[in-house]
Amino acid sequence: MTEAGITDNEVSAFLNTLHEEGNPGGQDATDLTQHEIRALRTRYNLADAHTHQRQSPEQEKIVARLTELWHESEDHTQAYFEDRLRSAFFRLHRQPTALRMDRALLSYSASVSTMVAAMYLRRHGMSVALVEPCFDNLTDLLRNMQVPLEALAEESLADPARVYDRLAEGCAADAVYLVDPNNPTGFTLASGGMEGLREVVRFCADHGRLLVLDFCFASFALAAEGARADVYALLEESDIDYLAIEDTGKTWPLQDAKCALLTAGGSLQREVYDLHTSVLLNVSPFVLNVVARYVEDSIEDAMGSVRRIVRENAATARNALHGPVLEYQEPMVETSVAWFRIRPGGLTASRLQDELLAEEVYVLPGTYFYWSAPERGERFVRVALAREPEMFRLAMDRMRKVLMRHER
C-alpha cells in the first residue's frame, strides 16, 4: 500500500496500461527529449544526461546551508551573484580571457542560450553546417527558427591536418556549429594543443564564416585532463565572429538548478545582447548563489567528485556491456554518457530499446542523434552515466541479461 492508499497491484496495472498505450520503446516519440520524459517513469532511467547521482560529502554541506544561502541572496545585488558565477565558472575552466572579458550572458539553460543563437542566425538568413551526430534538440531549435541546415560529419574533423581542407571542400553553409566535447561520442577538437580547433578557426577566418561552439560538456574535458586550453584567447585573437555556449547543467547534482553562459565575439556583442534581453531579464540570484558554491567546491577538489562518478560508471558500463552485441566506443573525452555500437546486423537500436524497456531500463537509440540520416543511428545506443553507482550497477546487470539473448 502506498502513502496515497493505492495498492502495489494498482500501480503495476497503471504502468502496464502506459506500456500498452504506446510506451514500449517510445517509437512514437518525435525527439530525444520526449524519450527522456518517458524514461523518468522507469526504474532504471539511463536516458537523459542530467545529473542524478547523490551529493558528495562537501556538496552535502552546501545543501545544509540552503536557508542561509537563500537569505544571503536577498542581501546582495543581482550583479554581485552574476559576477560571482562568471568568476567561479571561468576560473574553474581555466579561461582567463573569458574571465577578463566579463561579457558572458547568463540564462537558465543551454536551450535558452541556443535559442538566442538561433534567433541571430535567423535574423541574418544564415545557413548552418551542424555536426552529426549530436543531441537533436540543437537540430530542432534551429529548424523551429527556420535556419537551413546541412550535416557536418564528425569523422570529417578527425584528422587535424585535414580539417581545413575538408571544410573548404564540403562546407557551403554560412556558419559552422560544433559541440565540443560532442554529445554523444566524446569527440573533441579542443584538447591538447587545439590543432583541430585552430584549423576550424582558420577556415572561418579565411572564408568569413560564423563559428558557433557548444561547450556544454567541457567540464568533463577539464575533469579528464586536469586542464583546458584558453579557447577564448584563440577565438579573440582570430578576430572571427563567434558564439560560445557553456553550461553547468550536466556537471553537478543540483536537481536541474543550473546556469548557461553565452559569449559573443566582439562585433556581435551588442546585437546578441539585445536578442538575449528580449528573452530573459535575469537568472534567480538564489540559483546563481547555489550553483556558484558547487563550482567553487569543484575548484577546491579539482573536479574530484565529477571525475569519480564518470570514471566509475563508465568502467562499469564497459565491463558489463562491451562484447559480441555492443562495442564500447572509446571517447576522446569521458563525458557523462557512453556510446555503444550494435554489432549484430539484424539488431537495431529501436528493437534493443524496446527489449530493454521491457526490463525497466531506458536508454536512447542513436537514430535521433544522426539527425540527417536516422538509419545510421540504428547502429548505436547511448547510456547516461551520471547516476548513483549502486543503481547503475543494477541497471547494467539487467542490460547484460538482455544482451545475452543475442550472443549467438
Side-chain angles (χ1 to χ4, degrees), residues 92-146:
L92 171 68
H93 281 261
R94 316 284 178 86
Q95 299 298 300
T97 300
L99 185 59
R100 184 174 62 254
M101 293 189 307
D102 191 31
R103 64 173 184 245
L105 303 171
L106 307 185
S107 64
Y108 278 107
S109 71
S111 292
V112 174
S113 296
T114 303
M115 183 173 68
V116 172
M119 290 166 67
Y120 177 87
L121 294 164
R122 171 59 179 164
R123 173 182 283 186
H124 291 273
M126 302 179 78
S127 58
V128 169
L130 175 65
V131 68
E132 185 180 51
C134 72
F135 194 77
D136 74 337
N137 83 315
L138 297 182
T139 313
D140 291 342
L141 281 165
L142 292 168
R143 283 176 172 163
N144 287 340
M145 286 289 178
Q146 298 181 322

Side-chain angles (χ1 to χ4, degrees), residues 376-397:
R376 290 192 62 192
E378 285 286 8
R379 307 312 311 150
F380 298 92
V381 292
R382 196 195 77 173
V383 176
L385 301 176
R387 301 294 187 269
E388 193 61 20
E390 179 57 31
M391 170 274 197
F392 191 80
R393 283 191 289 272
L394 293 173
M396 291 301 98
D397 289 343

Side-chain angles (χ1 to χ4, degrees), residues 50-281:
H50 293 211
T51 49
H52 297 289
Q53 71 267 29
R54 300 289 185 182
Q55 307 290 299
S56 72
E58 290 303 312
Q59 290 166 348
E60 285 284 5
K61 295 177 183 178
I62 301 173
V63 173
R65 296 179 56 211
L66 288 180
T67 300
E68 176 189 342
L69 297 180
W70 176 278
H71 292 298
E72 183 178 89
S73 302
E74 298 175 325
D75 293 337
H76 295 280
T77 65
Q78 176 74 27
Y80 172 86
F81 293 106
E82 291 177 354
D83 290 343
R84 181 168 190 164
L85 187 283
R86 287 191 197 96
S87 174
F89 186 87
F90 287 124
R91 281 188 289 116
L92 171 68
H93 281 261
R94 316 284 178 86
Q95 299 298 300
T97 300
L99 185 59
R100 184 174 62 254
M101 293 189 307
D102 191 31
R103 64 173 184 245
L105 303 171
L106 307 185
S107 64
Y108 278 107
S109 71
S111 292
V112 174
S113 296
T114 303
M115 183 173 68
V116 172
M119 290 166 67
Y120 177 87
L121 294 164
R122 171 59 179 164
R123 173 182 283 186
H124 291 273
M126 302 179 78
S127 58
V128 169
L130 175 65
V131 68
E132 185 180 51
C134 72
F135 194 77
D136 74 337
N137 83 315
L138 297 182
T139 313
D140 291 342
L141 281 165
L142 292 168
R143 283 176 172 163
N144 287 340
M145 286 289 178
Q146 298 181 322
V147 175
L149 295 178
E150 64 180 54
L152 176 58
E154 181 185 88
E155 54 263 33
S156 71
L157 306 172
D159 181 359
R162 297 197 61 203
V163 165
Y164 187 100
D165 291 339
R166 295 294 293 272
L167 289 172
E169 292 165 2
C171 179
D174 303 306
V176 176
Y177 200 133
L178 304 178
V179 183
D180 198 302
N182 198 12
N183 168 20
T185 63
F187 174 79
T188 181
L189 288 165
S191 64
M194 295 196 297
E195 290 87 355
L197 184 58
R198 289 182 189 279
E199 288 301 285
V200 172
V201 170
R202 184 166 72 92
F203 168 79
C204 291
D206 289 349
H207 296 266
R209 307 295 170 81
L210 170 68
L211 179 59
V212 185
L213 293 164
D214 181 321
F215 288 134
C216 291
F217 279 73
S219 293
F220 299 106
L222 181 66
E225 300 179 3
R228 184 181 169 204
D230 189 352
V231 294
Y232 290 91
L234 170 62
L235 294 170
E236 287 292 304
E237 290 164 5
S238 70
D239 202 31
I240 64 170
D241 289 336
Y242 72 88
L243 296 168
I245 300 166
E246 311 239 18
D247 186 33
T248 67
K250 303 299 187 291
T251 309
W252 294 280
L254 270 161
Q255 299 283 352
D256 284 328
K258 54 191 174 182
C259 179
L261 303 91
L262 172 62
T263 302
S267 64
L268 309 186
Q269 185 180 3
R270 181 68 216 192
E271 186 175 357
V272 172
Y273 175 75
D274 290 344
L275 290 168
H276 193 271
T277 58
S278 75
V279 174
L280 181 69
L281 170 62

